Amino acid sequence: MSEVKTDRNSSASTAFEHRRELTPVPSSFRDPSGGVVFDGRDYLRLVRPAYQPHYDRLMASGLHRELVQENLIVAHGELPAQATPDVYKLLRPEQVPFISYPYEWCFSQWRDAALATLRIQELALERGLTLKDASAFNLQFVEGRPKLIDTLSFETLGEPRPWAAYGQFCRHFLAPLALMSYRDVRLGRLLQTHLDGVPLDLASKLLPWRSRWCLWLRVHLHWHAASERRFEHSTRAEAAKKSYSANALRGLVASLQKAVQDLPEPAEGRVWSNYYDETVTGGDYVAHKQRLVGQWLQEMKPRSLWDLGANTGLFSRLAAAQGVNTIAFDSDAACVERNYQAARQDGTHNLLPLLMDLTNPTPALGWENTERMAFVGRGQPEAVLALALVHHLALGNNLPLDRIARFFAGLSSNLIIEFVPKNDSNAQKLLRVREDIFPDYTQQEFERAFSACFTIVQTEAMSNSNRVLYQMARRAAS
């Protein structure tokens, strides 16, 4: 995407009444139809003149309004603008609070995003339009639901032809979902390596033979992969010669919906999803911690919070219930799945559970390592929860306490953190199969390390345990 000039002495650069400097967003340079820019406060979308007929059709057909009403696309407003040779429209979309990526979603999130994409295509066909791409990266979870964020993904249908985005949908949605369902939920991370979607031949090889007994997987994945090999040298013009009726396109969408809906949920493979039910210390410990965390959050009044090591989201939902926009991170897919399903069932719209290993967080990816952002740098929450986490980082992953403290200080100015001593039963589980090489892992050393970055505001020992909860405030930079 060409850079938007904002030099006010240039006639081309004064096209928009919107006067802030517009900086192109690195993830949005491939589409000649337009792109995303940042004006220092909001993310805006440019519509190029080449896309004008499709944009006008999208808006005049009523499709965009219908998608907004069904919560399937972010709403937008048009900013006052003067037409130029480079830009047709400048849009201000609904702002997404936090950017997530598909390889950070649980199975149900991925499935909901797939079904949202197919529902969008279904409605588009009814209005004489079609999705020209079906990238999973074009959806974000806003208020608990997957929404399309790329307003420029539509084109006028014209003469019915094969769905141009069919292959991309299968690579971005059907293949990873099938692998997660039939093999292992961790295979969703393949999209982190294959940013243009999991290759269908690879998915076909990895899936068990029994997946072929599902008609829709046999057609849309196994046979699709075989046809790609057969016709890999055919041209786009040759493919476009195939005749497709509107009914055939609707039938394709319906069969893909059936393929996605029929996938069985993955089996849970780890024990952490039962943490609060089975593995934590008994008595009044959990209730005491809930009361204290709730009280401290009411005193802090953060507008945004990251719950790191959130498990199934017990404390994430406590924060969300107070109106705090909450992101809940955990490395256990089963925990994220339970958290998401609970939030969806309860109608909790300000909680987003995501899959994240803090010891190996999502890196920056894509062209020039800028198209997909690293975990750190995608937000600055006003508060962080780190409950029953430090012993996993220090004892389970050999991370020094001072490095852990610096990491948290780089994330937020407010921290609620729990110290789990070495004699705790769950800490002992981490040491059961390894030598204790952590003489400095003590409460005294914990307080010393964190006091270098934070002021300890409040401390309280937890009932029925040796654990201690801390409220901390980041020290001002000297």
Side-chain angles (χ1 to χ4, degrees), residues 37 43 128 283 400:
V37 295
Y43 289 94

Side-chain angles (χ1 to χ4, degrees), residues 88-208:
Y88 172 58
K89 294 281 187 180
L90 181 63
L91 314 179
R92 185 194 181 278
E94 173 187 3
Q95 300 296 292
V96 177
F98 184 84
I99 298 294
S100 65
Y101 298 127
Y103 38 80
E104 297 166 350
W105 299 344
C106 67
F107 177 82
S108 291
Q109 286 172 311
W110 215 315
R111 177 152 61 184
D112 285 351
L115 293 173
T117 300
L118 293 172
R119 176 59 177 160
I120 291 168
Q121 173 67 354
E122 187 177 48
L123 294 173
L125 291 173
E126 292 176 5
R127 305 269 185 172
L129 290 109
T130 182
L131 284 171
K132 63 180 181 179
D133 50 41
S135 170
F137 294 101
N138 282 348
L139 285 100
Q140 290 295 327
F141 282 82
V142 182
E143 296 180 344
R145 303 183 56 141
K147 291 187 180 183
L148 183 69
I149 62 170
D150 187 0
T151 312
L152 312 188
S153 285
F154 300 90
E155 62 183 4
T156 303
L157 182 58
E159 188 71 22
R161 63 180 190 273
W163 184 25
Y166 170 58
Q168 189 176 45
F169 178 87
C170 292
R171 295 192 305 274
H172 279 242
F173 290 105
L174 189 57
L177 278 168
L179 289 168
M180 295 166 79
S181 173
Y182 279 85
R183 278 297 188 195
D184 195 300
V185 70
R186 292 169 294 183
L187 289 176
R189 303 291 290 186
L190 280 174
L191 203 73
Q192 187 172 326
T193 303
H194 301 280
L195 290 177
D196 194 30
V198 178
L200 297 187
D201 64 326
L202 176 60
S204 183
K205 290 176 184 176
L206 292 175
L207 283 168

Side-chain angles (χ1 to χ4, degrees), residues 280-322:
V280 297
T281 183
D284 192 41
Y285 163 76
V286 174
H288 183 199
K289 189 160 70 169
Q290 285 179 296
R291 289 194 300 270
L292 198 57
V293 170
Q295 175 188 325
W296 288 356
L297 287 176
Q298 287 178 342
E299 295 170 0
M300 294 160 59
K301 292 181 171 56
R303 288 171 296 181
S304 59
L305 177 142
W306 288 3
D307 187 355
L308 306 182
N311 198 263
T312 55
L314 181 65
F315 293 90
S316 306
R317 286 189 290 280
L318 189 153
Q322 293 190 16

Side-chain angles (χ1 to χ4, degrees), residues 248-269:
L249 291 175
R250 285 191 285 268
L252 174 65
V253 171
S255 67
L256 288 169
Q257 288 172 330
K258 185 68 173 171
V260 171
Q261 289 168 339
D262 284 354
L263 289 170
E265 290 189 6
E268 292 187 357

Side-chain angles (χ1 to χ4, degrees), residues 217-231:
L217 288 185
R218 189 161 72 246
V219 170
H220 295 302
L221 207 156
H222 295 292
W223 289 356
H224 191 170
S227 68
E228 282 187 338
R229 289 193 295 271
R230 279 200 308 272
F231 299 109

